Amino acid sequence: MKRFLEWFLVLDRRIIYTLVALAVIVPLLFPLNLRIYPTPEVESVHESLNELPAGSPVLVSVDFDPAALPELYPMLISMLRQSFQQKLKVFITCLWPNGVNLAPMAIDQVITDMKKLDPEFDVVDGEDYVYLGYQPGTVLVMLKMAQDIRKAFPKDVAKRETSTLPIFEDTWKLSQMKYMVMIEAGDTGDYWIVYGTTPNKVPVGAGVTGVMAPQYFPWLQAKQVDGIIAGLKGAAEWEVLLGYAGSATKSMDPQSIVHALIFLAIILANIFAFWLAAIKRKEERS
Amino acid sequence: MAFPAIILADLTPRWLNAASGATTSFVNLPWMGTLGVWVAAGLTLFMFSFIYRDNPFFKFGEHLYLGISAAYLMCVLWHQFFKPKFIFPLLPFTDPTSATKLNLLVIIPGILGFFILLRLIPKLAWLSRITFAFYVGGIAGFAIYNVINGLFLPQFHSTLNPLSFTWLGFNNLVLLAGAFCVLVYFFFSLEHRGAMGHVSRIGIYFLMIAFGASFGYTIMARVSLLIGRMQFLLFDWMHLERIFPGAGM
């Protein structure tokens, strides 16, 4: 027994990697369809958007790059789906240079998916939504957006003058946004809260990577963010609330299995460590 | 770890699929999409090979990623920032849309930016201090007001909630006690002995719980990234959804 305990407590990391790989692959191939329960933090974002009347301007900031794609991209899809379903006016910005191509990809995907559901579905670029692309300067861009979004982004990604676009007829500054969802993989979210949404009194939902989620709870406590969509789990909850099974929902089976595996490993390692210590104490006494 | 494969792995196939309107069916993909999937899958496997041990395939993928991302960043900054904000206002005839007007004022930030590059020449490196002085002064000027109003005061206010014999009151008490004990832990002007030591000790426990929550979320995030890569390998690349009914993205 002692030898087994010693072997287990210095288990080769490659065995652990193999177990984790199996815990991911098997549920992906044989889905368990475990139930997902939306949390109040995600419900809050969904409800806030749900309460907006058609035509309300909303801002989406796509501040992540492909490294965070598995976690954050499903949130972007959900945000666009809900906004287009409710006929909201969607302003999309990007303050991360490496993420500039992600929004067009998501817009294309959502429009294609929604046309499959409803052949009459239609949104017009520049009228119902606009993708303003990337601007460097982060905080300076936010401060300029507070004055005039058209000056912060003189042209959209299609090189059209933003001042000529119909979507800007009634909305041209940050404080006129009825809601904002920032999808963040770095510090840009903090800057949005401090320099963008708080001074301009724009309610904001934060879609963030799992790593960043704990640091956003103080913002939630202070009511500086309206809700938090934390990592892939948060994205799956949003999909459940919208009533469709996207990539996040389908990822929850392996996510749960791996968590269970890690939990089991921690419990067993602790029990075995105490057990081994007890055996050694017993040996020393005898 | 999977960074080197990311740009090709995550952008190419889906972007091409979306652009071409193709389904995820292998045969319907344009050949560029197929090539992109294979390159991305290969690079993903190169990166995963580090799990076994460091090797030349991993090194190749790592260096490829650094090169691609640096070049990509340079292209984005050149086309979306340097050209429209500096070149076009200075030389309006280079703007293909002819919409930019001559603006000689951009020379000033241009010179300040050039000064930073002079750090590479030791004799002229001192000129970069002018730019940094301007930058630090400007940033501090607008940051102080916004940070106090947007960060410090709302966070301070949210800690001071009414205490009562309700569940909410208890939560507020824990919040207040946690904030106080952690602040005491980070107060270094008095030795942490006696009552001060006990309170700072409680502060450490609060910090440990916070770090534990953070670590849990980090594990969740890393597993999510692994799932994303596995979905790509199993379904975008190997198309195992054809063999396993119910599987797929």
Side-chain angles (χ1 to χ4, degrees):
Chain A
M1 192 64 206
K2 189 185 165 191
R3 283 184 65 188
F4 169 75
L5 294 177
E6 283 174 339
W7 172 81
F8 187 88
L9 290 173
V10 289
L11 200 61
D12 191 323
R13 64 189 167 87
R14 280 166 286 206
I15 296 175
I16 298 169
Y17 287 142
T18 308
L19 289 173
V20 170
L22 286 173
V24 171
I25 293 168
V26 173
L28 279 177
L29 297 178
F30 304 99
L32 302 168
N33 299 320
L34 297 172
R35 200 164 167 192
I36 299 160
Y37 298 92
T39 52
E41 290 81 17
V42 179
E43 280 176 339
S44 176
V45 176
H46 176 257
E47 280 307 306
S48 296
L49 282 167
N50 223 10
E51 285 164 6
L52 294 176
S56 301
V58 292
L59 178 67
V60 189
S61 189
V62 184
D63 304 326
F64 64 97
D65 62 10
L69 202 95
E71 280 189 281
L72 300 182
Y73 189 71
M75 294 178 199
L76 179 57
I77 296 289
S78 293
M79 172 61 195
L80 293 174
R81 264 183 103 108
Q82 187 167 357
S83 302
F84 288 161
Q85 269 171 358
Q86 289 179 224
K87 301 191 185 309
L88 304 175
K89 303 272 184 198
V90 191
F91 297 75
I92 308 162
T93 62
C94 174
L95 300 179
W96 270 44
N98 279 354
V100 73
N101 284 329
L102 298 176
M105 192 168 91
I107 293 165
D108 284 347
Q109 186 179 326
V110 171
I111 291 173
T112 308
D113 289 350
M114 293 192 73
K115 276 187 175 167
K116 278 180 196 164
L117 293 171
D118 176 12
E120 288 180 11
F121 168 82
D122 193 28
V123 281
V124 181
D125 185 7
E127 209 170 300
D128 302 309
Y129 72 92
V130 64
Y131 179 42
L132 298 166
Y134 167 73
Q135 276 291 335
T138 316
V139 172
L140 297 173
V141 177
M142 294 167 193
L143 294 174
K144 217 167 182 179
M145 284 176 77
Q147 296 165 357
D148 195 333
I149 299 169
R150 295 166 300 187
K151 284 183 180 164
F153 293 88
K155 289 177 184 175
D156 71 348
V157 280
K159 305 284 181 204
R160 297 171 299 186
E161 299 279 340
T162 46
S163 54
T164 63
L165 297 176
I167 195 168
F168 281 98
E169 271 175 17
D170 300 320
T171 311
W172 62 87
K173 59 182 179 180
L174 197 54
S175 58
Q176 291 173 318
M177 294 293 165
K178 298 296 178 200
Y179 200 77
M180 175 184 176
V181 170
M182 50 181 193
I183 306 178
E184 305 294 330
D187 291 341
T188 317
D190 294 349
Y191 297 135
W192 268 120
I193 296 167
V194 174
Y195 297 97
T197 58
T198 304
N200 292 289
K201 297 184 173 48
V202 180
V204 58
V208 295
T209 60
V211 178
M212 291 164 58
Q215 78 190 54
Y216 273 74
F217 280 91
W219 297 119
L220 187 70
Q221 164 73 19
K223 296 185 174 58
Q224 287 182 276
V225 298
D226 178 55
I228 300 174
I229 307 138
L232 197 60
K233 170 75 165 58
E237 291 169 23
W238 201 353
E239 287 178 0
V240 167
L241 289 167
L242 289 175
Y244 80 102
S247 65
T249 306
K250 288 170 182 171
S251 303
M252 277 303 101
D253 284 348
Q255 186 92 44
S256 304
I257 301 293
V258 175
H259 285 197
L261 179 72
I262 294 168
F263 190 68
L264 189 69
I266 292 170
I267 298 281
L268 283 179
N270 275 282
I271 291 171
F272 289 175
F274 282 114
W275 193 350
L276 186 64
I279 290 172
K280 283 182 177 171
R281 275 199 303 272
K282 201 174 175 184
E283 281 177 355
E284 282 170 14
R285 277 202 295 270
S286 60
Chain B
M1 190 177 65
F3 267 54
I6 286 296
I7 285 181
L8 282 168
D10 277 326
L11 280 182
T12 312
R14 289 175 194 166
W15 181 81
L16 283 172
N17 280 347
S20 64
T23 65
T24 49
S25 166
F26 189 85
V27 287
N28 288 344
L29 285 170
W31 70 270
M32 271 297 288
T34 308
L35 180 69
V37 170
W38 277 83
V39 171
L43 287 170
T44 302
L45 294 176
F46 283 7
M47 301 319 295
F48 279 165
S49 69
F50 187 73
I51 290 169
Y52 183 70
R53 65 162 71 151
D54 199 0
N55 63 74
F57 295 107
F58 171 75
K59 288 278 184 227
F60 171 76
E62 189 181 29
H63 294 152
L64 185 70
Y65 169 71
L66 287 174
I68 287 174
S69 55
Y72 183 75
L73 190 63
M74 277 180 68
C75 288
V76 170
L77 289 175
W78 172 260
H79 287 289
Q80 302 216 11
F81 178 65
F82 200 71
K83 265 169 72 178
K85 301 276 184 195
F86 185 72
I87 305 279
F88 291 165
L90 209 57
L91 307 165
F93 60 87
T94 57
D95 182 3
T97 62
S98 307
T100 316
K101 289 175 184 165
L102 181 71
N103 182 6
L104 293 175
L105 282 175
V106 297
I107 292 173
I108 298 168
I111 290 170
L112 288 172
F114 180 71
F115 280 177
I116 293 181
L117 294 176
L118 292 178
R119 288 184 72 81
L120 299 169
I121 305 166
K123 280 186 180 173
L124 298 173
W126 63 274
L127 283 167
S128 66
R129 289 182 205 156
I130 298 169
T131 310
F132 285 121
F134 179 81
Y135 186 75
V136 170
I139 293 284
F142 69 74
I144 289 170
Y145 168 79
N146 281 296
V147 169
I148 290 173
N149 282 292
L151 173 65
F152 182 72
L153 289 178
Q155 290 295 318
F156 185 68
H157 186 255
S158 74
T159 315
L160 304 174
N161 292 317
L163 302 177
S164 60
F165 290 103
T166 60
W167 185 243
L168 184 66
F170 175 73
N171 278 346
N172 291 340
L173 182 67
V174 172
L175 186 73
L176 188 65
F180 178 74
C181 295
V182 171
L183 281 174
V184 168
Y185 173 71
F186 284 108
F187 188 75
F188 301 119
S189 298
L190 282 174
E191 200 175 352
H192 288 190
R193 296 175 70 178
M196 186 85 175
H198 291 304
V199 175
S200 76
R201 188 88 190 153
I202 297 169
I204 293 175
Y205 294 139
F206 272 104
L207 284 172
M208 288 298 171
I209 292 168
F211 293 150
S214 189
F215 184 62
Y217 267 113
T218 304
I219 289 176
M220 184 181 91
R222 298 300 177 242
V223 172
S224 301
L225 297 182
L226 175 66
I227 293 168
R229 285 294 76 211
M230 285 298 183
Q231 282 178 327
F232 169 74
L233 289 175
L234 298 177
F235 305 123
D236 283 346
W237 182 45
M238 296 164 75
H239 289 273
L240 290 184
E241 74 276 11
R242 292 174 181 174
I243 301 168
F244 297 92
M249 289 169 70

